[in-house]
Amino acid sequence: MKTILITGATSGIGLEAARQLGEAGDHLILVGRNPEKLDHAARLVRAAGAGRADTLVCDFASQAAVRELAAAVLATYERLDVLANNAGGYYPDRVMTDDEVESTFAVNHLGGYLLTELLLDLLRRSAPARILFTSSVMHYGASLDFDDLSLARSYSGEKAYSQSKLANILYVRALARRLEGTGVTVNAFHPGAVATGIWDAMPWWGRPFAAVAKRVFMIPAAEGGRRLTYLASAPEPARHSGRYFQNNELKTPSRRAQDDALARQLDEVSARLVGLSS
């Protein structure tokens, strides 16, 4: 029985993947912000056949909360076979967290970055193990300005979201190099244009389009969840590390996402932003 931790597990692809992985009888650790939604998700996952379904509360906008989550995992579990960093958000307006980080970058990148770094020793001890990041095709065309990661000079929800998803892939690239020879792989993936609640946070003028798109063009959350499930459980993805997947196949990411120097710089800057280096 594998132990699999999924963040953002109370809805959308996180919940669907948890239910799908639960069908194999695995042990799921579900992470979300809302205790009531977590309890509901755990019941669904257990009903699907999970050998065990635990819940942990965490708001990924708070670095203190992420550290508490990591401490709880380390104190409770002896192994971790899969860490799926799936929690994410879309913020139409620029909002700074208590850690003085722009919220999109904090939740979509730094939260998963910090959790992963704090759990690396456990993952190494559990090898073979997998680390996953839910990214997006929106990373294409995105860039990183290390002098203005909070986008104070020019903010839009789309720009912030795209930047954070580029950061996911760059971190995966940098971390894969650090994990060479450990038996721990790390990959990012695009789950597809999934009809989830994240689109409800779009500006008012975009919501009618999003509502139509969700009905006509987007795939169901269950199908997006299968992309996560595939990377978490199928043999083929474990043969790769530092890569980007779309539709369960290897895909070449953007030119910037392949920049090793940029990946190393992001790794260093992220460590400073979460207090893991001076």
Side-chain angles (χ1 to χ4, degrees), residues 105 109-110 143-151 153 163 166-167 170-171 256 259-273:
F105 198 73
H109 169 61
L110 286 181
S143 60
L144 285 174
D145 180 355
F146 289 106
D147 293 325
D148 188 25
L149 286 174
S150 66
L151 302 178
R153 291 192 290 268
Q163 173 184 257
L166 172 61
L170 285 167
Y171 174 50
R256 288 190 179 94
D259 187 328
D260 288 325
L262 189 63
R264 288 193 298 271
Q265 186 176 5
L266 175 67
D267 203 6
E268 294 167 0
V269 169
S270 299
R272 289 200 299 270
L273 288 173

Side-chain angles (χ1 to χ4, degrees), residues 110-194:
L110 286 181
Y113 174 91
L114 178 57
L115 180 62
T116 299
E117 292 293 321
L118 295 175
L119 297 182
L120 278 182
D121 285 345
L122 176 60
L123 287 156
R124 289 189 187 99
R125 294 197 301 270
S126 305
R130 308 184 193 194
I131 303 168
L132 309 176
F133 278 85
T134 303
S135 184
S136 170
V137 292
M138 288 182 69
H139 84 275
Y140 289 102
S143 60
L144 285 174
D145 180 355
F146 289 106
D147 293 325
D148 188 25
L149 286 174
S150 66
L151 302 178
R153 291 192 290 268
S154 177
Y155 183 88
S156 74
E158 292 81 2
K159 186 175 182 179
Y161 187 83
S162 299
Q163 173 184 257
S164 70
K165 295 306 176 179
L166 172 61
N168 292 156
I169 301 173
L170 285 167
Y171 174 50
V172 159
R173 193 173 184 91
L175 183 57
R177 290 185 178 275
R178 289 199 270 133
L179 290 174
E180 284 181 1
T182 66
V184 181
T185 60
V186 52
N187 290 295
F189 73 103
H190 170 59
V194 184

Side-chain angles (χ1 to χ4, degrees), residues 208-240:
F209 169 78
V212 172
K214 285 170 73 171
R215 292 195 303 271
V216 178
F217 303 112
M218 296 184 184
I219 63 174
E223 186 173 343
R226 279 192 283 274
R227 313 280 167 81
L228 193 161
T229 297
Y230 172 77
L231 289 178
S233 59
E236 175 60 25
R239 301 187 180 101
H240 305 280

Side-chain angles (χ1 to χ4, degrees), residues 17-35:
R19 294 171 70 171
Q20 293 161 14
L21 291 163
E23 292 175 358
D26 287 325
H27 172 197
L28 276 297
I29 305 169
L30 311 178
V31 179
R33 290 181 300 170
N34 186 305

Side-chain angles (χ1 to χ4, degrees), residues 4-139:
I4 303 170
L5 188 154
I6 302 178
T7 70
T10 59
S11 63
I13 69 170
L15 176 57
E16 294 298 334
R19 294 171 70 171
Q20 293 161 14
L21 291 163
E23 292 175 358
D26 287 325
H27 172 197
L28 276 297
I29 305 169
L30 311 178
V31 179
R33 290 181 300 170
N34 186 305
E36 292 182 358
K37 290 183 178 180
L38 277 170
D39 288 343
H40 176 68
R43 288 195 295 272
L44 293 176
V45 172
R46 293 186 191 108
R52 179 177 169 187
D54 302 334
T55 62
L56 291 170
V57 176
C58 182
D59 180 354
F60 278 82
S62 166
Q63 293 178 20
V66 175
R67 289 180 179 275
E68 290 177 5
L69 169 62
V73 171
L74 294 173
T76 307
Y77 305 106
E78 295 183 355
R79 67 176 297 106
L80 183 60
D81 298 279
V82 180
L83 169 60
N85 291 292
N86 173 67
Y90 177 95
Y91 299 84
D93 301 311
R94 183 175 178 271
V95 178
M96 301 297 287
T97 69
D98 291 342
D99 301 302
E100 291 302 313
V101 179
E102 187 275 317
S103 294
T104 315
F105 198 73
V107 173
N108 293 4
H109 169 61
L110 286 181
Y113 174 91
L114 178 57
L115 180 62
T116 299
E117 292 293 321
L118 295 175
L119 297 182
L120 278 182
D121 285 345
L122 176 60
L123 287 156
R124 289 189 187 99
R125 294 197 301 270
S126 305
R130 308 184 193 194
I131 303 168
L132 309 176
F133 278 85
T134 303
S135 184
S136 170
V137 292
M138 288 182 69
H139 84 275

